[in-house]
Structure formats: C-alpha cells, structure tokens
Amino acid sequence: MILVTGGAGFIGSNFVLNWLSLHDEPVVNLDKLTYAGNLNNLAGVMHDQRHHFVQGDIGDAALIADLLRQHRPRAILHFAAESHVDRSIHGPAEFIATNVNGTFTLLEAARAYHGSLDDAGRAAFRFLHVSTDEVYGSLGPNDPPFAETTAYAPNSPYSASKAASDHLVRAYHHTYGLPTLTTNCSNNYGPYHFPEKLIPLMIANALTGKPLPVYGDGKNVRDWLYVGDHCAAIRRVLEAGRVGETYNIGGWNEKTNLEVVHTLCDILDALAPRAGSHRDLVTYVKDRPGHDRRYAIDARKLERELGWKPAETFDSGIRKTVQWYLDHQDWVRDVQSGAYQGWMEQNYGKRGGAGEAA
Ligand code: NAD
Ligand code: DAU
C-alpha cells in the first residue's frame, strides 16, 4: 500500500480518487483537515475498503511511526502543506510548522522505517515529495523557463518554506540514502480546487455576480496544468523516476492572469449568461506584496526520461473545470464556511475595489 499525506486537499484528493480508479493497491490517507482539507472531496471512496482515512498531523512523530509500523507502505507520497501564498504573507508561522517542521518529522519517521525494512523492502521504498515551481523565484519576460538545474530563489514565505522542505528531502537522500523523488509543478487547476485560489475564486464570484479581484495590472504570468495531468505525472515518477532526482512538471501553458480571467468570463457568458458580460465584473485591486511576475516550466526531462506529457490543453482543461464548478455549486457553498468568510475579509477587505469579493 501507499501512504498519502494531504489527501483531503485539492491535489491530494484528486490523486487518491484517480489512484483508486486505476489500481487495487490500498491508500492510507493522512490529513489534518485544516480549512483546506475536505472530506466531501473523498465522498466517492469513504466506504471503499482500499481507502483508509486518518485525521492527523504530519508533525505528530508518534502517529506517523505508528502508521508506518501498522501499514508498512511501499511509498510515502507527501502532498500535505499550507499552500496559499496570500495566507503565508498574512501568517507565515503555520507554513513553517507544516511545510518545514512537518516535512522534517515525516522524513525522520521515513528514515527510521526505511532502516527497519529488509533488503528488498529498502530497495523498493520511495519517498515522493510534491513541491512547486515557486521555489525557483520569478522570471523576466525573456528568461528561459525553470529547469531542474535553476538555482532556488524563493520570494514568499510559502515558497521559502517549500524550498526548505525540498532541501531537507535532498539532504535525506544524500546523507542517509533515503530513496527520495521530488517533483516541482506549476499552477494546477481542476475539480475540488479551494475557492481562495485564482481560478475557483473567479468562477465562484462570477456565478454570484461579485467583483473579480485582479491583483496589480493582471499581467503576472503563470503556467497552468490540469490537476489530472499532475497526478499522472506523479504516478509516473513514482513508478520509474530515478532515486534522488527532481522532476519539473508543467503544462506549457503560460497565461497572464487577465487572460485566464477573461477566458473564464467568456466560457461563463456562454454556459451561464447574465445581463452583460462577466468581464464587466473584473476589478483591479492592490497587488500581492512581493508578487512573482512570471513562472514557466521546462518539463522536458520528465518527457525525455519517463515519457510523460500533459493530456489536456488549457482550452480542454479549463472548459471541463468550469463545467465541474457549474455542476458542483453545492460543493462550493459547503466550502464557504464561516472561517473562509473571515479569510475573505482579511485578504480583500483592505485592498480596495473588491470590498464585496466575499
Ligand atoms: P491544499 O491546500 O488544497 O491541500 C493541503 C492539504 O494538506 C489539506 O487537505 C490540509 O488539510 C492538509 N494539511 C495541511 N497541513 C497538514 C498537516 N500539518 N498534517 C497533515 N495534513 C495537513 O493544497 P494543494 O493545492 O492540494 O497542494 C498539495 C501539494 O502540492 C502542496 O505540497 C503544494 O505545495 C503542492 N503544489 C500545489 C500546486 C497548486 O497549484 N495547487 C502546484 C504545485 C505544487
Ligand atoms: O506555481 C505553483 C503554485 O501555484 C503552488 O505552489 C501554490 O500552492 C498555488 O497556490 C499556486 O500559487 P499562486 O500564487 O500562483 O496561485 P494563486 O491562485 O493564489 O494566484 C495565481 C495568480 O493570480 C497570482 O499571480 C496571483 C493572482 N491572483 C490571485 C488571487 C487569489 C489575483 O490576481 N487575484 C486573486 O484574488
């Protein structure tokens, strides 16, 4: 079996659902259920014998040791993290606790467990660390995309905490021989994406006629990858990645934020028309402090070595995603709890122009 951390979040839940639709191999799913963890994402597998959900913290050394002893997984896939850049600016402490100290605790437990395995178990074991392209910093308009050899230059508390965790993973391979794999992926989108992030927030606001808060001039560039493609890449790296290596994962879809928002508006104009265009809701608001200008990923190593390529184009993926949100408006309403409303006030209340974003 495999142990997944953070499997009730956006990417982790997509990974668990996809895994169980493709494999018979069971999954132990450890998640703290922070504001971002949502058991509704896993409704389809909550009664599946192959899915064993455990609510707990990756920083709980005794719990992790217990889970490893009890379930003896052949791999740990580490998704759990605090993941929202804006939240890391308002309150970085949780990011250090989970992304740095939590990853450290998990690595220590994995090291002890790995040492307890027989030769065959040790050779087969993998610790796959799910990380981000944000560790590489920000690109100028004509810079080449991030490669695995690009120097780390994280700019936000979130990306600094992820960079720290990547370094720890690297060190545990180099020093202790833990069989690690690290993936650095660009911006994901798709089902179960928490509506604090650009794409689901814009869809949710557009559907309720609220302002669409674009930070700064809207010209920051991100590379977008459909979440199912990210999950497929992770499965492939787990299956055949070279131990100790890192693999960049990206969609070859660089877009400005304004392009993304306009695309969403145009799709919604067709699928959920309102009086006037959804584009009329676009509202420019104060920029994110330290806002990285451009991310782009060179994913050729993964294609060359492991034959992975994204299956979705941005056009096909974004249409599926908007349709999913239209079909799952209850999911969005459930997620928009009291705690989430408090966050909307904290993040957008003082930016001006989008005071009604919540
Ligand atoms: P998310 O915020 O949607 O989910 C994170 C999950 O981790 C939640 O279910 C949460 O409850 C859980 N969690 C948080 N702290 C925990 C702790 N201490 N112990 C156990 N569980 C805990 O995040 P996501 O967008 O699904 O991202 C998953 C991983 O992928 C993260 O490591 C993130 O850095 C990385 N990543 C995300 C993207 C993206 O575009 N979303 C892109 C590249 C990499
Ligand atoms: O690049 C990978 C990263 O992508 C992941 O590591 C992070 O976990 C994930 O959250 C994401 O980070 P970003 O900061 O790029 O994603 P976010 O959706 O927060 O913002 C995308 C862009 O849109 C960014 O330039 C900021 C802008 N934005 C965001 C929000 C929430 C707005 O203009 N308005 C908004 O309201």
Side-chain angles (χ1 to χ4, degrees):
M1 69 156 54
I2 60 168
L3 171 64
V4 166
T5 71
F10 164 45
I11 304 173
S13 63
N14 275 281
F15 183 86
V16 169
L17 295 172
N18 292 359
W19 180 271
L20 292 174
S21 73
L22 295 166
H23 294 256
D24 277 333
E25 190 174 11
V27 177
V28 176
N29 183 352
L30 172 68
D31 196 294
K32 186 176 173 181
L33 296 181
T34 67
Y35 79 92
N38 185 348
L39 285 181
N40 287 339
N41 302 4
L42 297 163
V45 294
M46 281 318 265
H47 301 294
D48 189 319
Q49 297 290 320
R50 298 166 303 158
H51 179 235
H52 181 72
F53 183 80
V54 179
Q55 182 174 5
D57 192 325
I58 56 165
D60 184 340
L63 171 67
I64 311 288
D66 229 43
L67 287 176
L68 293 174
R69 218 178 5 253
Q70 198 188 329
H71 297 287
R72 310 199 67 72
R74 69 165 174 106
I76 297 174
L77 288 96
H78 178 32
F79 294 87
E82 288 293 332
S83 70
H84 192 31
V85 174
D86 292 317
R87 284 185 192 260
S88 83
I89 296 166
H90 287 273
E94 267 316 301
F95 288 72
I96 306 305
T98 285
N99 301 359
V100 185
N101 294 332
T103 301
F104 166 68
T105 304
L106 200 60
L107 282 165
E108 273 292 272
R111 175 163 81 96
Y113 170 67
H114 183 243
S116 77
L117 297 173
D118 61 18
D119 287 351
R122 260 202 309 280
F125 183 76
R126 296 288 181 272
F127 184 103
L128 192 154
H129 176 57
V130 179
S131 192
T132 169
D133 61 356
E134 301 203 8
V135 296
Y136 298 119
S138 184
L139 293 168
N142 300 314
D143 289 339
F146 302 130
E148 288 80 358
T149 48
T150 303
Y152 274 31
N155 289 319
S156 72
Y158 163 69
S159 54
S161 68
K162 291 296 289 188
S165 67
D166 293 10
H167 289 322
L168 285 170
V169 170
R170 177 190 157 88
Y172 270 65
H173 171 66
H174 188 82
T175 303
Y176 302 117
L178 189 69
T180 61
L181 296 159
T182 296
T183 57
N184 294 89
C185 188
S186 58
N187 285 60
N188 284 215
Y189 66 98
Y192 304 115
H193 203 181
F194 195 88
E196 65 183 352
K197 308 280 169 68
L198 179 75
I199 288 180
L201 177 79
M202 294 296 165
I203 299 172
N205 279 15
L207 286 175
T208 44
K210 291 177 181 155
L212 307 182
V214 171
Y215 296 169
D217 64 4
K219 294 194 178 132
N220 300 66
V221 172
R222 298 292 182 265
D223 169 60
W224 292 96
L225 179 69
Y226 189 68
V227 64
D229 279 327
H230 186 189
C231 294
I234 289 172
R235 291 195 301 274
R236 185 69 191 130
V237 172
L238 176 66
E239 185 178 35
R242 283 187 292 133
V243 161
E245 291 289 312
T246 70
Y247 293 91
N248 282 357
I249 307 175
W252 304 103
N253 284 312
E254 283 186 61
K255 308 269 175 216
T256 66
N257 293 335
L258 207 53
E259 282 173 321
V260 170
V261 173
H262 282 163
T263 301
L264 294 170
C265 289
D266 297 349
I267 298 173
L268 286 169
D269 284 349
L271 298 182
R274 67 190 289 271
S277 166
H278 289 91
R279 287 189 185 211
D280 302 339
L281 298 170
V282 169
T283 309
Y284 291 91
V285 299
K286 193 162 174 276
D287 210 353
R288 170 186 282 175
H291 197 174
D292 284 339
R293 193 63 175 169
R294 175 178 165 237
Y295 303 144
I297 277 276
D298 178 345
R300 282 178 299 178
K301 176 178 175 184
L302 184 53
E303 183 174 350
R304 192 175 59 245
E305 290 191 11
L306 304 181
W308 175 88
K309 272 201 287 198
E312 300 289 346
T313 63
F314 186 69
D315 187 58
S316 64
I318 201 73
R319 280 174 192 284
K320 270 192 192 179
T321 302
V322 173
Q323 192 60 57
W324 188 89
Y325 278 90
L326 285 171
D327 295 343
H328 294 82
Q329 294 185 50
D330 288 356
W331 181 89
V332 176
R333 273 192 292 273
D334 282 355
V335 162
Q336 289 173 326
S337 65
Y340 175 71
Q341 292 297 343
W343 161 249
M344 294 299 279
E345 178 51 32
Q346 190 188 0
N347 192 43
Y348 295 99
K350 296 192 190 78
R351 284 181 193 266
E356 296 166 64

